[in-house]
Amino acid sequence: MKIGLFADAHYSSQELTCGKRRNRRSLGKLREAYSYFARQQCGLAISLGDLIDKNGSHALDVRCLEEVSEVIAASGIETVCIMGNHDAFTFNREAYYGILGGCEPADRTVDGLRLMFPDTCFFRSGERYTPAGGDWTDCFLPAQDAFLSALSGSETPAAVFLHHNIDPSVPENHRLYNADALFRGIDCSKKVKTVFQGHYHPGRRIRHGDVLYVTLPAMCENENAFFVFDTLDPGEM
Ligand SMILES: [Fe+2]
């Protein structure tokens, strides 16, 4: 199965933020992404998080997420939306997936490849991110042991999709607090073919041992920042 991928749309009503995020343009880019995914006959699309950005008014935040939801629904392509820090600092899980009308990540196996979606919107204290916000560099996967034992307890090869970064070559302030332990566990499991991440906007593609780490370049800062992954060729992209 072909899977369409994108990350860090940061859609909002703002024209430009942080000097380089073209927030408002992302809705059109999402339409372009989905029309490309349709031409490629993708059976699934995955957003790697930070679909939206804050507007300064929660009513506008809701409207922006509704507009994204309309693009997804019109595509007819099943979509999984992983929450990123900007999503989780704007909406709680229930509200986010309620407005999106589904799209909640759930592990599954496609073409003999297990797709895993660890939720990393947690502080290192183990508390889940909330719309109260917090330090964006404080990110953590509290379910580390469950995630790693799920990998080692199965013979099925896997691809991992998450918002934050495990790749040791990504700057430290973007990496999970327990990234080193996850990196070692993934390496030792010998099950993971590819790890897909968002969050680090320049993007990166690097192989560490047998595992390909792909950080998608941010949609809000780039043109044509949408990609297709084939589950029949899981170690390549
Ligand atoms: Fe992020």
Side-chain angles (χ1 to χ4, degrees):
M1 179 196 281
K2 288 185 177 177
I3 300 178
L5 300 172
F6 60 93
D8 296 278
H10 285 258
Y11 176 55
S12 79
S13 58
Q14 306 285 318
E15 181 65 34
L16 180 71
T17 58
C18 299
K20 53 191 172 183
R21 296 179 185 168
R22 304 273 173 190
N23 306 79
R24 191 155 59 193
R25 285 207 49 220
S26 279
L27 195 67
K29 290 177 177 177
L30 279 171
R31 290 196 191 95
E32 287 171 28
Y34 274 95
S35 86
Y36 176 67
F37 297 158
R39 290 196 302 279
Q40 294 289 315
Q41 300 184 306
C42 291
L44 181 69
I46 299 173
S47 162
L48 283 139
D50 287 354
L51 252 185
I52 49 129
D53 212 321
K54 275 192 192 293
N55 291 275
S57 134
H58 194 63
L60 260 181
D61 296 338
V62 170
R63 183 61 206 135
C64 284
L65 191 56
E66 285 172 346
E67 287 177 305
V68 168
S69 175
E70 287 159 14
V71 171
I72 292 172
S75 76
I77 298 175
E78 185 192 352
T79 298
V80 167
C81 293
I82 296 166
M83 286 186 93
N85 46 305
H86 284 265
D87 304 311
F89 286 160
T90 306
F91 293 99
N92 63 37
R93 272 184 78 86
E94 294 68 31
Y96 187 74
Y97 291 111
I99 294 168
L100 287 172
C103 302
E104 210 159 343
D107 292 2
R108 63 179 80 184
T109 301
V110 175
D111 297 328
L113 182 72
R114 188 170 184 191
L115 311 183
M116 302 176 80
F117 306 98
D119 181 355
T120 55
C121 284
F122 290 86
F123 297 110
R124 77 180 82 164
S125 64
E127 281 178 60
R128 178 181 287 284
Y129 288 2
T130 72
D135 175 6
W136 69 269
T137 66
D138 183 353
C139 50
F140 180 58
L141 175 61
Q144 174 187 309
D145 293 345
F147 169 70
L148 292 178
S149 60
L151 269 183
S152 54
S154 163
E155 287 306 310
T156 311
V160 179
F161 303 84
L162 75 169
H163 180 65
H164 294 92
N165 304 97
I166 294 173
D167 176 1
S169 69
V170 166
E172 190 67 38
N173 62 351
H174 286 69
R175 297 178 67 230
L176 290 164
Y177 181 62
N178 50 343
D180 289 341
L182 290 162
F183 179 79
R184 285 194 302 272
I186 285 171
D187 185 45
C188 289
S189 78
K190 303 294 178 201
K191 303 291 183 331
V192 178
K193 301 292 183 189
T194 313
V195 177
F196 291 100
Q197 312 158 116
H199 192 53
Y200 178 57
H201 288 194
R204 191 158 182 83
R205 182 187 185 283
I206 188 166
R207 202 174 285 279
H208 295 292
D210 299 331
V211 186
L212 178 65
Y213 282 80
V214 178
T215 303
L216 298 185
M219 179 176 270
C220 64
E221 295 183 26
N222 294 278
E223 300 299 321
N224 304 314
F226 39 79
F227 307 89
V228 171
F229 167 65
D230 192 335
T231 52
L232 295 174
D233 198 8
E236 294 301 326
M237 168 79 178

